[in-house]
Amino acid sequence: MSRLPVARTDLACGLFITILGAGALVESLRMPRFEERNADPFTVPGLTPGFVSVVLLILGAALLLRALSGRTATSQIGTGVTITQWNRGSVVRTVLTLAAVLTYGLLLFGHFPFVPVTAAFIFAFTVGAELIAPERQLSLLQVLLGAAVLAIAGAFTLHFVFTDIFLVRLPGGRWW
Amino acid sequence: MMDSLTRLLASIAEIGFSAQIFSVLWATLLGIIVGMIPGLTATLGVALLTTLTFSMNPNEAILVLVCMYIGAIYGGSRSAILLNIPGTPANAATAIEGFPLARSGRAGEAMAIATTGSFLGTMVGMVALAVISPWLAEFALKFTSFEFFWLAVFGVALCGQLTSMDDVLKGWIAGFFGLLISMVGQESMHAYARFSYGDPNLAGGLSLLPVLVGAFGCAEVFSVMRQEATAPIKAKVSGVIAAAFSSLRYAVTWLRSGLIGTFMGVVPGVGEDMGAWVSYAAARRASKKPEEFGKGSVEGLLAAETGNSSAVPGALIPVLTLAIPGSAPAAVLLAAMVIHGLRPGPLIMIQQPDFFYSIVAMVFWGSVGILVLGLTLTRPLLYVLRVRREWLMAMIFTLCVVGSFAIAGRLFDVQVMIAFGLIGFLMRETGFPVAPMILGVVLGPILDANLRRSLSLTEGNLLGFVSRPISAVLACIVLVMLISGLPPVRRWFANRTKAMLSRRGSDG
C-alpha cells in the first residue's frame, strides 16, 4: 500500500524525534550525579533533560506509530506539510538561496574584510535571484547596475551603522 | 488607583513632550514597512531592531521595540488587503475580508477600517495591560517553584496545542524540542555543561537572540525565496478618513474583539494570530449579516484587525508579570529587556513600577503612531509593496548575520543563527509550528530550576506538585489539555459535534 506523502514525512520526522529523544535520554543518564560531593540526588544535572527527553521520546514514538498506520492528523493531504510540494522554480530558488547564504554566513563572514564580502554577497544573490525569476522586467544591464549600487551602498551603510554608531567591531578587519 | 493613573499620565506626557516622540514615529513607521512586506514578520523586525538598540538607554530601546512590534502587526494588514497575502501570519484573517473589499474598489475604506481597528484594539489591550498586570504581578508573588514548574509545562503544552490545531502532536513535539535545546550549556546548580562535548561555545549555552533571528529571520528568507513571487499592485485609494470614522459604529465588535484578542495575547506563546482568528470567528457568529463574511465584510475585517492588535499589549502582560512571553515577538522583547538590564517578573510593581507605566505609555504612543501614520501615509506606503523580494532578501540575511554577531562578537552565534534558520525552515516545511519551540527555549531554564528545586524541597515526593491549590489547578488544566489533545478524544468530540449538527439539521 502506498502511503500519503504527508504520512511519509511524518514517518521520517517521527523516526528522527524518537532517535533524538532516545539519544538525549542516554546522554542525560550518563551525566554525573556528583555523589562524591554529597549532592542532593534531586538536583543532578541530568534530571530535567532526562524528563524532557522521555516526553520527547513518547511524542516522537506516537508520531512514528501514527505515520506507520498510514494516518495523518486530520486525514487530509497538506496539513501544513509542504516539503513534498516542489516545482522546478522553487527548487532552483531554494538551492541558490542555500548556496549563497551558507557560503557568506559560514565561509566568508568573519574570515575576510566585511565590506567587500558583504557587497559581493548582496550583488551575487540579487543578480542570481533576478536572473532566474521568470517575471523579471529589467534588462540585464539594469539588473547588474542596480545590484551593484545596492551591494556597495548596503555594505558601506551596514559597516558605518554597526562600527561607527553602535561601536561593534565587525570581524575581518578594515579593507580600505 | 489615583496614584497609578497619575503615574501613567506622567509617563504618557514624558514621551509625548520629549524627543522620544520622534523615536515613536520612526520605529512605528519602520514596523509598518516591515509588516507590509510579505515574508517579514513582527518577530524578525523586533529581533533585528534589538541588535540596533545596544547603544540606546533601556527606556528608549524598549520604546522603539514596542513601537516596531505594534507597527509590524498593523502593517501586515496592508499586504493582506491589497495583495491577498498576509504581511505577517497575524493578518491572515484580515485578507479574507480585506482583499474582496479592495477588489471591489474599496481599498481605501478597507485600509482605514484596518487602521481604526488596530488602533482601537491596541487601546483595549492597553487598558487591560494597565489594569490586569499589577493584579497578576501581585498574585504571582504567591507562586513558588511548584507553580512555576507547572506554568512552564502549561505554557509549552498550550502553545503547542493552539498554534497547531490541526496536529496537536507536532505542536507539543516542537515545544519539548525547544525545552531540550534550552538544556544545552552550563546548568545553574552544579555548573555542569550539558550536551557540550568539550566545546566551550556550547558550554556557554545557546543565546536566545541568534536562535530567534535564525528561526524567524533566516528561515523567513528561505521560505520567501522558495515561494512563488507576488505580482506588483496598482490600487486606487480614496475615502480613507470618512471610512475611519464609520468603523466607530461597530462598538460592540471592536470591544468584543479587543477583549478576545487581549486574552489570546495573555496565553503564553499564542499571540496575535489566534487573537485575530478567534475574534473573527466570534464576530461571524454574532453578526446580523453573517452571509457577508468571506465576501468583504467590514465587521469581519474590523474584528480581525482589532483582535490581532489587542493581542500585542495582551502578550506583554505575562512578559512583565511572569517573565513568560505571550507571543513570539514578545519573547524577543523579553530577551531585549534582559539584555538592557531590566528585570520583568512578579516583582516588577515593587522594584520597577515606573518602568511598568512607561511600557503602558509606549503602547499608547505606538497605537497613536499607527493611527496617524496609517491614515496620512496611505498612498506613499503603497510603494513599499512594489519592492521585489529579490532586492530585499540579501539585505535581510546580511542584517541577520551582522545582528547575531553584534550581540556578543562571536562567530559561533552566526553559526547558531544559520543552524536555526535551517531548522526553522525544515519545521515549516514539515508542518511543525516554530513558536512553541521558541517558547520552549525561553521556558527551559524556568522549568529546569523549578523542577529540581521542587523535588529537592519535597525529597522526591511528587505529591508536592499537586498539594498546593494553585499548582493543583494548573496541574488539572495541563492534564485536561493533554487528554483533550489525544486523537481518540478529539475524534469522539468531532463525532459528537457532527451528530449534534445533523440532529439539529433534521429537526429544523
Side-chain angles (χ1 to χ4, degrees), chain B residues 233-445:
Chain B
I233 50 109
K234 284 178 184 138
K236 284 185 180 171
V237 177
S238 58
V240 173
I241 303 292
F245 280 106
S246 74
S247 55
L248 292 173
R249 280 182 296 158
Y250 300 94
V252 177
T253 305
W254 60 256
L255 204 60
R256 182 186 51 235
S257 308
L259 291 173
I260 293 173
T262 306
F263 176 73
M264 296 313 290
V266 174
V267 177
V270 175
E272 304 81 21
D273 317 7
M274 290 305 294
W277 281 117
V278 178
S279 304
Y280 177 76
R284 188 176 189 158
R285 267 198 302 274
S287 176
K288 287 176 187 157
K289 297 174 187 169
E291 71 281 357
E292 285 184 5
F293 278 69
K295 297 169 191 161
S297 162
V298 170
E299 214 179 340
L301 174 61
L302 188 68
E305 273 305 298
T306 311
N308 65 26
S309 290
S310 58
V312 174
L316 295 178
I317 295 173
V319 166
L320 293 173
T321 56
L322 301 168
I324 289 173
S327 66
V332 193
L333 205 57
L334 176 64
M337 286 179 190
V338 174
I339 288 170
H340 282 283
L342 302 162
R343 292 184 309 281
L347 291 172
I348 191 164
M349 294 309 292
I350 297 166
Q351 291 177 340
Q352 306 162 87
D354 289 335
F355 171 64
F356 167 74
Y357 290 108
S358 297
I359 291 274
V360 182
M362 290 169 195
V363 172
F364 171 80
W365 283 111
S367 62
V368 172
I370 55 170
L371 184 70
V372 172
L373 296 168
L375 293 180
T376 54
L377 299 179
T378 310
R379 278 170 215 276
L381 284 173
L382 287 179
Y383 290 103
V384 175
L385 292 178
R386 295 182 189 165
V387 177
R388 281 167 47 77
R389 61 179 178 179
E390 285 77 7
W391 295 81
L392 209 60
M393 289 302 138
M395 284 297 290
I396 300 282
F397 181 73
T398 312
L399 264 175
C400 291
V401 169
V402 183
S404 303
F405 177 80
I407 299 160
R410 293 193 306 176
L411 280 176
F412 174 70
D413 286 333
V414 177
Q415 292 157 7
V416 169
M417 186 276 293
I418 293 175
F420 277 88
L422 292 170
I423 290 171
F425 177 62
L426 283 174
M427 284 177 75
R428 287 167 194 218
E429 290 286 312
T430 49
F432 286 86
V434 179
M437 178 186 80
I438 295 300
L439 193 69
V441 175
V442 175
L443 295 180

Side-chain angles (χ1 to χ4, degrees), chain A residues 10 27 40 42-43 45 47-48 66 73 82-83 85 87 90 93 97 101 118 130 135 146 166 169 171, chain B residues 52 55 166-167 170 190 194 197 225-229 388 391 397-398 405 429 448 452 455-456 459-460:
Chain A
D10 285 357
E27 281 296 300
D40 184 338
F42 298 107
T43 64
L47 190 92
T48 317
R66 190 182 78 183
T82 51
I83 200 161
Q85 300 155 17
N87 57 35
S90 57
R93 283 194 304 275
T97 309
V101 155
T118 301
E130 270 291 339
E135 69 280 356
F166 300 124
R169 220 176 61 138
Chain B
L52 302 176
S55 61
D166 282 344
D167 200 343
K170 287 186 175 178
H190 301 282
R194 296 164 173 155
Y197 310 102
M225 288 306 291
R226 181 228 202 274
Q227 290 157 12
E228 300 302 321
R388 281 167 47 77
W391 295 81
F397 181 73
T398 312
F405 177 80
E429 290 286 312
D448 180 31
R452 291 193 287 163
L455 283 173
S456 179
E459 292 179 336

Side-chain angles (χ1 to χ4, degrees), chain B residues 104-188:
Chain B
S104 61
R106 295 163 69 191
E109 190 186 334
M111 285 189 274
I113 290 161
T115 308
T116 326
S118 296
F119 170 74
L120 293 169
T122 318
M123 282 294 169
V124 172
M126 185 199 77
V127 173
L129 172 66
V131 174
I132 297 172
S133 298
W135 172 81
L136 187 59
E138 199 181 323
F139 181 67
L141 286 173
K142 293 178 191 153
F143 285 18
T144 60
S145 53
F146 302 103
E147 282 80 18
F148 275 107
F149 165 78
W150 281 118
L151 210 58
V153 177
F154 170 74
V156 168
L158 188 63
C159 180
Q161 187 147 358
L162 291 181
T163 54
S164 186
M165 296 285 247
D166 282 344
D167 200 343
V168 179
L169 191 55
K170 287 186 175 178
W172 289 342
I173 288 174
F176 277 88
F177 178 56
L179 285 175
L180 189 64
I181 289 164
S182 74
M183 298 294 133
V184 175
Q186 217 168 56
E187 46 87 37
S188 54

Side-chain angles (χ1 to χ4, degrees), chain A residues 60-135:
Chain A
L63 184 64
L64 186 66
L65 290 174
R66 190 182 78 183
L68 279 173
S69 69
R71 283 185 290 120
T72 59
T74 54
S75 67
Q76 289 169 2
I77 301 172
T79 48
V81 178
T82 51
I83 200 161
T84 50
Q85 300 155 17
W86 292 86
N87 57 35
R88 192 178 171 277
S90 57
V91 170
V92 173
R93 283 194 304 275
T94 305
V95 168
L96 170 87
T97 309
L98 281 171
V101 155
L102 295 179
T103 307
Y104 173 70
L106 298 179
L107 300 177
L108 300 178
F109 181 83
H111 304 288
F112 297 95
F114 176 77
V115 172
V117 290
T118 301
F121 163 69
I122 296 172
F123 179 80
F125 186 95
T126 310
V127 171
E130 270 291 339
L131 291 182
I132 58 170
E135 69 280 356

